[in-house]
Amino acid sequence: MSGKVAQRMHISLASPFIMEMWAIIFLVEFVKGSLLVALLPVYMENILGLSVTVVGFAFALQYLGDNLFRSPFGWVMERIGYRWTMTGALLLLVVAVGMIVYAKDAVSLSIACLILGIGTSPLWPCTMTGITELAGSTKSGSSGAAMGAVEMASLAGTGIGPITMNFLMDHGGQGYRTVFLVLMGCAAAVAAVALLLPSKIGGHAPHVVRDLHSEEAPVEQRRPFQPLQSLKRTMHAVRSSLKVSRLLFPALFLQAFAIGLMTPVVTLFAHSELHVTPNQFSLLLIAGGGITVLALIPAGKLVDRIGTTVFLNIGFLLAAGSLAFFSQVRWLPLAFCAVALVGVSYALILPAWNAFIALQVPKGERGTVWGLFLTLQGSGMVAGPVLSGRLWDSVSHSAPFLASSFVMVLLFGLHLLIVHRTKLKTGTS
């Protein structure tokens, strides 16, 4: 096999698109993590004197904007390409941070949070569509390593952002306005990086861009863009090309729902049940998140070699067991073991899950379908915290983690059924 053929076997993590999206994802999650985790809750409550209810409403608008606009932006991306979709949206990120700097009331901050969500909503549809198209141009069609790389960028940005902002606030003597302006500079930088993105990847041009502007296109196709007619054609194309198991849709919801069940209560559990100090809690986060980040790319490369099925089966079962274990431990060394196992399980699940979903996406209207899938998946992150709080207050402090464990078992079963039905349809053994 020649060197050129070997290079086309898998996606190169050093390809310009992957490197550019890695930088964009890291910076976007750095800004969002800094705002949502470290700065806004304290700033809105302690500095502006807003109630916790207002804080929760503003954050809900951010998640709403992020989820509702994923599919529309995926549709737009199919028509104008990656560069201008991402650049235009990320300029909204600059606007949102700018509004936060000068906002003094609940309405202004809530609108800023909504704009923040809208501005970041095309991030994952564009990333997943681009990786899927790159995978389609390789001989293997595998995308596990690339999926692991972008997930690593996301987790690293989300973790490093709040740590950096807390350091600037506590040790750098900086006020809120200064750190907000730093984040505004980061937002401007990420919009500038988006200008480096291609409009298309290889021969996979967004189909309307190709149809309307190609010299080889028939004359009747080179007509002014008509959004309503294009939307109708899109809906028809999605309905005719999307041939997936119906079980995939609840699986998409449940995958994020399992995370959403844990997210609001893990800090409360650590303090109320494990009685950890702030430093011990930071070490717990490193034990879980650090292991996940370090293992994502190696796990992704193994997914490319072995396939997604083994990793998802092991990952779902390991996550179910380790979450149930974590819910019952009250001794800190065992808690570290449980958290480390959760981190390993998610390192197995995340690249394999995204690569598995990528295989379900049809070649036509990839951006729209990825947006649809990610919107459905994101709705689980909205619903999970709602049930989590009720379980915490009404059942027990262990209940959210046990519920998340049960959801992982459901995902294991759904995945087996989806794979089985796919094999029956394709006639593979």
Side-chain angles (χ1 to χ4, degrees):
M1 181 181 293
S2 69
K4 290 184 178 179
V5 174
Q7 290 174 0
R8 291 196 300 267
M9 287 291 291
H10 300 293
I11 300 173
S12 171
L13 298 185
S15 69
F17 180 82
I18 298 295
M19 296 295 289
E20 288 153 8
M21 289 309 303
W22 203 99
I24 289 171
I25 290 169
F26 175 83
L27 287 171
V28 167
E29 297 300 341
F30 181 94
V31 173
K32 284 183 66 175
S34 299
L35 288 172
L36 300 180
V37 177
L39 299 177
L40 282 183
V42 179
Y43 178 73
M44 293 174 72
E45 185 178 5
N46 295 345
I47 305 300
L48 300 183
L50 302 175
S51 68
V52 176
T53 301
V54 172
V55 176
F57 179 75
F59 279 32
L61 285 178
Q62 190 277 142
Y63 289 119
L64 186 68
D66 193 351
N67 278 291
L68 285 182
F69 284 84
R70 286 180 175 183
S71 194
F73 268 120
W75 180 81
V76 169
M77 185 273 297
E78 288 278 355
R79 279 135 188 90
I80 67 174
Y82 297 93
R83 181 187 303 134
W84 299 117
T85 301
M86 287 300 301
T87 302
L90 290 173
L91 286 174
L92 292 178
L93 183 64
V94 181
V95 172
V97 179
M99 288 181 65
I100 290 170
V101 173
Y102 297 103
K104 299 298 181 186
D105 57 79
V107 174
S108 299
L109 277 166
S110 296
I111 293 173
C113 286
L114 177 62
I115 294 172
L116 176 69
I118 296 171
T120 59
S121 59
L123 180 65
W124 287 106
C126 286
T127 302
M128 295 306 189
T129 303
I131 291 175
T132 305
E133 291 188 342
L134 285 172
S137 65
T138 64
K139 187 174 180 180
S140 66
S142 300
S143 59
M147 295 295 186
V150 296
E151 289 286 359
M152 184 178 75
S154 174
L155 291 172
T158 302
I160 293 173
I163 293 172
T164 304
M165 292 303 110
N166 283 330
F167 179 82
L168 288 176
M169 294 289 291
D170 294 338
H171 303 286
Q174 305 299 327
Y176 279 101
R177 176 154 297 190
T178 301
V179 295
F180 284 146
L181 289 174
V182 169
L183 292 178
M184 194 172 178
C186 292
V190 75
V193 174
L195 286 170
L196 301 176
L197 288 171
S199 288
K200 61 180 181 178
I201 294 178
H204 296 276
H207 72 274
V208 171
V209 174
R210 181 180 65 242
D211 290 345
L212 298 185
H213 302 291
S214 173
E215 292 295 328
E216 298 177 1
V219 175
E220 62 271 14
Q221 287 186 355
R222 283 183 270 144
R223 57 184 181 273
F225 178 51
Q226 298 173 310
L228 185 59
Q229 286 78 2
S230 179
L231 182 59
K232 289 180 179 178
R233 289 195 298 270
T234 297
M235 298 305 295
H236 175 73
V238 169
R239 284 195 298 266
S240 60
S241 63
L242 190 58
K243 309 292 184 183
V244 299
S245 169
R246 291 182 180 179
L247 296 175
L248 182 66
F249 300 112
L252 285 165
F253 174 85
L254 290 173
Q255 194 273 338
F257 184 68
I259 301 174
L261 284 167
M262 296 183 291
T263 304
V265 297
V266 65
T267 304
L268 296 173
F269 186 86
H271 288 293
S272 64
E273 300 296 326
L274 300 176
H275 308 291
V276 297
T277 65
N279 287 336
Q280 288 172 334
F281 182 65
S282 296
L283 290 175
L284 270 177
L285 293 179
I286 293 171
I291 287 175
T292 303
V293 169
L294 291 175
L296 276 171
I297 291 182
K301 290 182 176 180
L302 288 174
V303 167
D304 288 340
R305 292 184 180 182
I306 301 172
T308 63
T309 303
V310 173
F311 281 85
L312 287 176
N313 288 340
I314 295 174
F316 287 142
L317 290 179
L318 180 60
S322 55
L323 285 170
F325 177 46
F326 178 75
S327 73
Q328 302 304 310
V329 300
R330 298 296 183 272
W331 187 42
L332 194 56
L334 285 180
F336 274 100
C337 293
V339 168
L341 288 173
V342 173
V344 171
S345 69
Y346 269 90
L348 298 176
I349 291 170
L350 289 175
W353 178 256
N354 288 330
F356 173 70
I357 299 303
L359 296 174
Q360 317 299 317
V361 177
K363 291 183 178 180
E365 296 293 347
R366 277 176 170 155
T368 306
V369 174
W370 261 119
L372 176 65
F373 283 177
L374 291 168
T375 296
L376 182 57
Q377 189 164 285
S379 64
M381 277 297 293
V382 177
V386 176
L387 179 60
S388 178
R390 286 184 172 273
L391 290 172
W392 178 274
D393 291 333
S394 304
V395 182
S396 72
H397 291 179
S398 299
F401 302 98
L402 291 173
S404 184
S405 174
F406 177 71
V407 171
M408 286 295 179
V409 175
L410 282 179
L411 278 167
F412 172 76
L414 284 172
H415 173 249
L416 286 182
L417 287 173
I418 292 169
V419 171
H420 178 67
R421 290 186 178 185
T422 302
K423 287 180 177 179
L424 289 179
K425 285 184 178 181
T426 59
T428 58
S429 57

